[in-house]
Amino acid sequence: MASSRDRGFSLLELMIVVLIFGLVIGFSLPTFLRFSSTLQLQSAAENISGQLRLAREKAIATGVVQPVTFEYGYLGESDYRTTPATGVGGSWRLPKGITYAAEAEIDSTYMFQKDGRCDRSGLIIVQNGRGHRDTVSVQLSGIVFNH
């Protein structure tokens, strides 16, 4: 028959297990945060590309010019927006910690014509706090893609 002393774990054993869990979490947290920041950057670029493509498709479908304006902190509410002559527009913010790169063409408008072409070409560059960047390219043909 086992004595009451043989059952369970001692306080020292539990403290060692908690210490090991703490070390594992402590070493993995910075890696997780870097991974999360990279995913937010990619997501921001994908969202910008999606809104540009949608504006192009709406211009073709409706025959109405569709502008997409990039202006950091517009009215303190958005970072890019659509303002079509007819229909409903929208505005979006960049995720927390994501900004436009200094050399990006901010305070600019891309006008998608009814044939799908864009009035100008350019790059929209977003970056995270660690300096990693993602680029959205708009061609005169209206084609939009990520780099």
Side-chain angles (χ1 to χ4, degrees):
M1 178 172 196
S3 70
S4 63
R5 203 166 145 71
D6 293 337
R7 292 183 298 172
F9 300 102
S10 71
L11 182 59
L12 180 63
E13 291 170 329
L14 289 175
M15 288 175 56
I16 290 173
V17 169
V18 169
L19 176 70
I20 291 172
F21 278 143
L23 288 173
V24 168
I25 290 171
F27 284 118
S28 63
L29 189 60
T31 302
F32 174 75
L33 293 176
R34 281 193 300 272
F35 179 69
S36 175
S37 176
T38 301
L39 285 180
Q40 284 185 328
L41 177 65
Q42 292 171 347
S43 173
E46 298 273 337
N47 287 341
I48 290 170
S49 295
Q51 291 304 323
L52 288 165
R53 289 184 189 113
L54 181 61
R56 179 177 189 251
E57 292 169 9
K58 285 170 75 175
I60 293 169
T62 63
V64 176
V65 173
Q66 298 289 323
V68 179
T69 303
F70 292 87
E71 186 175 358
Y72 192 71
Y74 173 72
L75 298 178
E77 298 175 1
S78 67
D79 296 319
Y80 57 102
R81 65 188 187 283
T82 58
T83 52
T86 61
V88 178
S91 61
W92 300 269
R93 290 195 64 79
L94 294 173
K96 184 178 180 182
I98 305 297
T99 60
Y100 295 113
E103 64 272 5
E105 299 175 21
I106 304 310
D107 297 335
S108 59
T109 300
Y110 294 88
M111 304 284 277
F112 288 93
Q113 308 301 319
K114 53 188 171 183
D115 62 359
R117 290 181 292 138
C118 191
D119 68 329
R120 57 183 293 212
S121 63
L123 299 174
I124 298 117
I125 304 169
V126 290
Q127 68 182 10
N128 63 14
R130 298 182 63 231
H132 293 162
R133 296 178 174 190
D134 207 344
T135 304
V136 177
S137 176
V138 181
Q139 305 296 312
L140 287 172
S141 64
I143 302 297
V144 176
F145 58 93
N146 292 10
H147 293 267

